[in-house]
Amino acid sequence: MKNRILHILTLAAALLLSARPSMAQEAVEIPGGSFHSILPEVEGKPLEVESFYMDVTAVTNSEFTEFLMENPRWRRSQIPAAFAGEGYLRHWQDDLTPGEESPADAPVTRVSWFAANAYCGWKGGRLPTLDEWEYSAQLMEFDTPAQSNAFASELMGWYSTVNTDNIRSVGSTGIVNKYGVRDQFGLIMEWVEDFEPPMGSDFQLNCGSMGRMQQAGNLYSYAASVRYMTRMSFTPQTTTGMIGFRCAYDAPLTRNLYSEPALREVLP
Amino acid sequence: MLLCSFTALQAQSLEYQIDGMTFGMPEARVYTDDYDGPPVVGDYISMLPNLVPLDYEGNKHHHIRMDTMVQEIEVANGVRYRAWTFGGTVPGPVIHVKEGDRITFTMTNRSDEMVTITEPGVASSQFLEQTAANNFMDAQPSIMPMPHSMDFHSGTVAASDKWRTIAPGQTIEFDFVANYPGTYIYHCGTPSVLMHTAMGQHGVMVVSPKDGYTDDYEVDREYVVVQSEYYLRPGAGELYQYDFEGAQNVNPSHVVFNGHQSILHDQPLKANAGERVRIHFSNNGPSGTSSFHIIGAIFDRVWMEGHPFNEMRGMQTVLLGASSSATIDFIVPEEGSYTLIDHEFADAEKGATGTLIAGPRK
């Protein structure tokens, strides 16, 4: 039932789009591979992820402004309540001005899943799937498990100190995966296409499941479960001061297709 | 979590009774509205160490609101952090009800909103009047959007329904009956539950027994004292932040009474020689034990978990695990100063002490 509602709303949301963008955002290819999800249902079985492209950085305030200029119906004053909660871009000065507290090169936040999804569609891409996002996030290089754990510990500290009043520029965290994707941690949390992962109906994230989520000796899983938990609490209308997004692309056709100026004219 | 809000849950709406207690509450409601009123609403809600006296006969149906939001607070001299709170303080407000009372509880997750606790709204709560008059922790509103939930140990319900996690901006509303007398903690149950409670999301509800604790005497004073741990380390700026390793290894940076290392010294409990004092003492953890003692006093009567059937006498310390409590009566022997202490001295020297000042016998 829920999935059907989501599907219908997504289709409706797509109809709100008007123009297509003139250029694709910088993205890099993430070669396919596998990784271990923290979800207990798939524990022990590595998840396969196919190659895809993903934006190097999160979508910025200035990039989102560009989207809003071309797609008026996603502006704060016009977006239907079904597609975003009351907090949608509430920190912006007005419809098209991020304002002093939202620097042009800082990631856009207070955007709903619908808006993020629409933006990525406009860019000729889509939101990354949860598995793609998490796979990319795990593609960091550490020399030792101790270093990895130290990083995860810092990450837990970050989850306890997120400062939505002072979100820094994209690329500023110094955290980068081995293919050049930046800031998957330390800046904001990000929407993914399927932010509620499929799970057995009898499974809920609670304190009893936390232990099951922790792979032995790996603090990273622990930090990841905070992220899963936060995403799972969202609805597609949720807008908070710490959630933004980046886009993914089915490499490389889709991205180029939609960025062709000639095709822009014929697409709806 | 979200799955639940879309999937029809098994209806829980058929009330029934066992041993005079009421079970079978209606399904919780999760919704979004534009509430921007006072974050704590209710007639019998106070700031530690106070307890609002129950001035009614029989049972009552309470309508209680306690929102969850972020406040930057001081927990020791020079140590401030952005706490995840219920009601704006750590621990959260003291809720007082009577055994058998029904509670309709409402909580909005306002972690993505600046909420002030120093401006009591009209007909809100004594708690907000007290925090406005005595902002000891120097609480300043802040924003850190996170999913949260509420778990009342005083409630007997399906946690999968009533203690559901809600996103920033959402509100949850549910009913329960305080079937058992005692002092019960409440806390956030959202994973990591260690992190959420250590970040400050806990408090107590005192469920007074309908027939009291004893017919032998009346107490002269009644207080609530909560012990808890902080796991903090210096952060990037001036503020402290959550120390994940400290929390995992149960190595607290501070162990405190009523949320602050010195609050119970700067604002000591008051009594007079010869008086009977009752303390509802709760160890809210999240992970440590407490061996509560008062230097110079012997606990005349102790009711473990605050249940009147669990009476003990002549105790020097009361050992409490995380989320355990005791209701403690003692006679203040002489004029002078008495130290409340966790006799696990490592905890005491991290802050788990307080003072009771006794005036002359009246």
Side-chain angles (χ1 to χ4, degrees):
Chain A
M1 179 61 178
K2 175 197 59 181
N3 284 337
R4 199 163 69 229
I5 290 170
L6 197 60
H7 193 59
I8 291 166
L9 286 175
T10 306
L11 285 175
L15 296 176
L16 292 185
L17 288 170
S18 55
R20 297 278 176 181
S22 56
M23 55 180 290
Q25 200 171 340
E26 190 189 351
V28 290
E29 183 176 10
I30 311 289
S34 65
F35 78 112
H36 283 271
S37 168
I38 59 162
L39 294 175
E41 273 68 11
V42 288
E43 193 180 355
K45 279 181 271 171
L47 285 172
E48 301 291 331
V49 176
E50 290 183 10
S51 297
F52 65 104
Y53 281 54
M54 192 156 77
D55 289 342
V56 166
T57 56
V59 174
T60 63
N61 284 306
S62 72
E63 288 166 333
F64 202 74
T65 307
E66 194 186 325
F67 165 69
L68 295 177
M69 292 187 39
E70 291 194 28
N71 298 280
R73 278 168 290 188
W74 291 94
R75 293 175 191 171
R76 186 173 71 187
S77 63
Q78 297 186 42
I79 191 168
F83 296 141
E86 285 203 346
Y88 181 71
L89 296 176
R90 74 163 194 236
H91 58 311
W92 280 29
Q93 202 170 306
D94 58 44
D95 260 5
L96 294 171
T97 317
E100 284 175 18
E101 288 169 13
S102 310
D105 59 354
V108 65
T109 56
R110 299 195 187 286
V111 285
S112 64
W113 180 91
F114 287 113
N117 189 56
Y119 177 97
C120 289
W122 174 72
K123 277 284 183 188
R126 54 180 174 76
L127 285 169
T129 65
L130 187 150
D131 286 343
E132 284 171 344
W133 197 98
E134 291 289 338
Y135 167 65
S136 169
Q138 287 191 19
L139 292 171
M140 291 177 63
E141 288 177 320
F142 295 103
D143 292 336
T144 64
Q147 279 180 12
S148 164
N149 280 347
F151 175 78
S153 186
E154 286 300 316
L155 192 53
M156 290 299 290
W158 177 70
Y159 286 134
S160 78
T161 53
V162 173
N163 187 349
T164 58
D165 293 336
N166 182 25
I167 294 181
R168 293 166 298 153
S169 307
V170 296
S172 65
T173 63
I175 297 171
V176 56
N177 82 357
K178 62 185 179 186
Y179 298 104
V181 175
R182 298 184 170 276
D183 314 322
Q184 287 194 265
F185 307 113
L187 206 54
I188 52 170
M189 287 201 190
E190 299 180 12
W191 284 114
V192 293
E193 189 170 65
D194 48 343
F195 57 94
E196 295 173 74
M199 280 189 272
S201 58
D202 60 342
F203 175 72
Q204 295 187 342
L205 274 176
N206 57 37
C207 52
S209 58
M210 201 71 181
R212 285 195 286 154
M213 285 188 129
Q214 294 184 54
Q215 291 156 12
N218 186 355
L219 296 185
Y220 180 86
S221 305
Y222 192 95
S225 60
V226 172
R227 200 163 55 248
Y228 275 73
M229 185 64 226
T230 301
R231 280 191 298 240
M232 284 176 64
S233 77
F234 291 155
T235 69
Q237 290 85 9
T238 297
T239 59
T240 82
M242 78 185 285
I243 186 129
F245 68 102
R246 72 182 73 212
C247 306
Y249 312 86
D250 298 327
L253 174 65
T254 318
R255 187 169 59 120
N256 293 337
L257 177 74
Y258 288 122
S259 59
E260 285 289 332
L263 280 176
R264 277 179 61 202
E265 304 306 318
V266 299
L267 287 168
Chain B
M1 324 307 311
L2 187 61
L3 294 170
C4 305
S5 59
F6 284 93
T7 314
L9 280 170
Q10 203 70 35
Q12 304 279 325
S13 53
L14 279 184
E15 265 186 44
Y16 65 93
Q17 306 231 322
I18 292 179
D19 293 348
M21 297 183 287
T22 306
F23 301 93
M25 296 290 115
E27 192 179 325
R29 265 193 335 126
V30 175
Y31 57 92
T32 302
D33 65 7
D34 54 359
Y35 182 80
D36 63 353
V40 179
V41 180
D43 293 336
Y44 302 91
I45 307 180
S46 55
M47 179 180 160
L48 288 162
N50 306 292
L51 188 66
V52 185
L54 300 181
D55 55 3
Y56 52 91
E57 297 293 319
N59 280 120
K60 189 178 172 72
H61 185 161
H62 300 264
H63 294 269
I64 291 170
R65 169 182 283 273
M66 197 160 64
D67 293 335
T68 180
M69 65 264 189
V70 179
Q71 299 282 309
E72 182 193 312
I73 58 165
E74 182 189 287
V75 301
N77 190 17
V79 179
R80 296 179 67 81
Y81 84 110
R82 290 159 69 220
W84 301 354
T85 77
F86 291 119
T89 56
V90 180
V94 179
I95 302 173
H96 195 188
V97 302
K98 194 187 292 177
E99 174 188 357
D101 282 355
R102 189 182 186 104
I103 294 108
T104 296
F105 177 73
T106 305
M107 177 177 84
T108 302
N109 181 343
R110 296 168 81 173
S111 61
D112 193 33
E113 198 183 319
M114 299 282 254
V115 182
T116 176
I117 61 161
T118 50
E119 292 164 12
V122 178
S124 55
S125 60
Q126 288 193 28
F127 170 80
L128 287 178
E129 290 168 18
Q130 288 160 345
T131 52
N134 179 18
N135 190 7
F136 186 85
M137 294 181 153
D138 187 22
Q140 311 284 345
S142 187
I143 288 181
M144 209 188 314
M146 280 284 170
H148 295 300
S149 60
M150 172 57 89
D151 169 346
F152 282 107
H153 283 203
S154 49
T156 42
V157 296
S160 52
D161 177 37
K162 311 295 187 286
W163 308 160
R164 262 187 271 174
T165 292
I166 56 171
Q170 287 186 321
T171 299
I172 190 165
E173 189 177 298
F174 56 78
D175 278 22
F176 67 100
V177 173
N179 281 320
Y180 290 84
T183 298
Y184 293 94
I185 89 162
Y186 59 79
H187 65 92
C188 180
T190 300
S192 150
V193 68
L194 171 61
M195 181 178 185
H196 283 256
T197 48
M199 284 292 285
Q201 290 187 293
H202 60 83
V204 294
M205 174 180 279
V206 176
V207 184
S208 283
K210 58 182 190 290
D211 298 320
Y213 283 100
T214 173
D215 294 331
D216 296 351
Y217 55 82
E218 300 269 317
V219 289
D220 301 291
R221 317 260 173 180
E222 200 167 2
Y223 293 115
V224 184
V225 176
V226 172
Q227 177 171 331
S228 62
E229 306 118 44
Y230 289 112
Y231 299 89
L232 297 171
R233 62 181 170 87
E238 291 180 352
L239 297 179
Y240 279 63
Q241 70 175 52
Y242 180 55
D243 176 9
F244 168 73
E245 273 145 1
Q248 283 247 312
N249 298 321
V250 198
N251 181 23
S253 55
H254 306 80
V255 185
V256 295
F257 289 160
N258 291 358
H260 190 289
Q261 216 174 45
S262 61
I263 190 169
L264 268 188
H265 296 296
D266 296 342
Q267 302 182 356
L269 304 182
K270 300 250 171 71
N272 292 312
E275 287 183 345
R276 291 180 187 270
V277 174
R278 175 169 295 161
I279 294 178
H280 303 278
F281 185 89
S282 178
N283 176 25
N284 284 14
S287 301
T289 56
S290 171
S291 296
F292 184 63
H293 171 72
I294 296 180
I295 300 174
I298 291 173
F299 300 146
D300 187 63
R301 302 189 192 195
V302 174
W303 294 277
M304 300 307 291
E305 301 292 353
H307 194 291
F309 283 17
N310 303 340
E311 182 171 316
M312 304 181 91
R313 299 210 181 189
M315 296 184 81
Q316 53 188 315
T317 63
V318 179
L319 173 60
L320 298 170
S323 97
S324 269
S325 71
T327 291
I328 293 162
D329 284 5
F330 61 100
I331 297 163
V332 179
E334 298 173 346
E335 183 179 0
S337 170
Y338 296 82
T339 299
L340 289 63
I341 190 167
D342 177 353
H343 220 281
E344 299 169 32
F345 283 149
D347 290 347
E349 294 188 356
K350 286 180 177 179
T353 62
T355 302
L356 181 142
I357 300 283
R361 181 158 163 75
K362 298 242 159 109

